[in-house]
Amino acid sequence: MATKPSPAPKIATKKHIARLERERQQVRLIQIISITAIAIVILLVGFGIFQTTYLKAHTPIAEVNGEKIILKYWQERVQFARVSLVNNLRQYQFYQQNFGMDTSKQVQQIQQYLQIPETLGQQVLTQLIDEALIRQEAQKRDITVSASEIDAKVQAGLNFFPNGTPTPT
């Protein structure tokens, strides 16, 4: 077998060594810049997600004597009000179709609320402000309600009496 002659060793000159060192520095600089750019992009995206999911949701939209009403709570209440309106609309339409009741006035009123979301949002905000004022006044007058009192009122409102119906007097 014929052996292949080994290549002659390269002679490292000062020029060659300086060029290799410059190339290593450039590659390192490119790596640092790339890693920094990726880190900045990740931080910006992370901050954007954090801002839209947490900071924006906890932004106060109203303040009542120091008590803040945050955006997230308002949005939840608007969604609940909207679902309630849709349920009421379906119920009125059911009454109208099945029992021939004239519920056109109520249906029209509910449809107006559903078509103009600003009106519903403003109404819910007004309710939240009123609730905050009532809470603050109750606290100022030292009015408290126990859980048993709340249960009794709810049961009476729903005509549910766990110990049997009370005897009329």
Side-chain angles (χ1 to χ4, degrees), residues 66-96:
E67 182 179 335
K68 295 179 181 178
I69 299 172
I70 61 171
L71 179 65
K72 182 179 179 181
Y73 184 63
W74 174 78
Q75 287 174 334
E76 290 170 356
R77 289 286 298 263
V78 168
Q79 288 173 350
F80 178 75
R82 185 168 176 76
V83 167
S84 295
L85 283 173
V86 168
N87 287 338
N88 287 343
L89 177 66
R90 288 181 182 155
Q91 188 175 19
Y92 284 128
Q93 289 171 341
F94 175 79
Y95 290 156
Q96 195 169 20

Side-chain angles (χ1 to χ4, degrees), residues 94-112:
F94 175 79
Y95 290 156
Q96 195 169 20
Q97 290 172 355
N98 293 325
F99 302 115
M101 296 173 69
D102 184 22
T103 59
S104 58
K105 189 175 183 179
Q106 291 90 348
V107 168
Q108 184 180 11
Q109 193 175 26
I110 291 173
Q111 285 175 341
Q112 283 179 337

Side-chain angles (χ1 to χ4, degrees), residues 51-75:
Q51 183 179 13
T52 56
T53 58
Y54 183 78
L55 292 179
K56 187 177 179 183
H58 289 81
T59 302
I61 58 169
E63 189 171 335
V64 182
N65 298 329
E67 182 179 335
K68 295 179 181 178
I69 299 172
I70 61 171
L71 179 65
K72 182 179 179 181
Y73 184 63
W74 174 78
Q75 287 174 334

Side-chain angles (χ1 to χ4, degrees), residues 91-164:
Q91 188 175 19
Y92 284 128
Q93 289 171 341
F94 175 79
Y95 290 156
Q96 195 169 20
Q97 290 172 355
N98 293 325
F99 302 115
M101 296 173 69
D102 184 22
T103 59
S104 58
K105 189 175 183 179
Q106 291 90 348
V107 168
Q108 184 180 11
Q109 193 175 26
I110 291 173
Q111 285 175 341
Q112 283 179 337
Y113 274 117
L114 293 174
Q115 289 172 354
I116 306 170
E118 291 85 12
T119 306
L120 182 60
Q122 186 60 45
Q123 182 183 11
V124 169
L125 182 59
T126 303
Q127 285 175 344
L128 290 173
I129 291 171
D130 290 345
E131 290 171 9
L133 288 170
I134 291 169
R135 259 192 320 275
Q136 291 171 3
E137 189 62 28
Q139 189 176 21
K140 200 184 298 180
R141 294 182 183 195
D142 200 31
I143 299 173
T144 59
V145 180
S146 69
S148 61
E149 290 174 320
I150 293 172
D151 288 342
K153 284 292 185 183
V154 168
Q155 289 172 359
L158 297 173
N159 289 327
F160 173 75
F161 301 99
N163 299 328

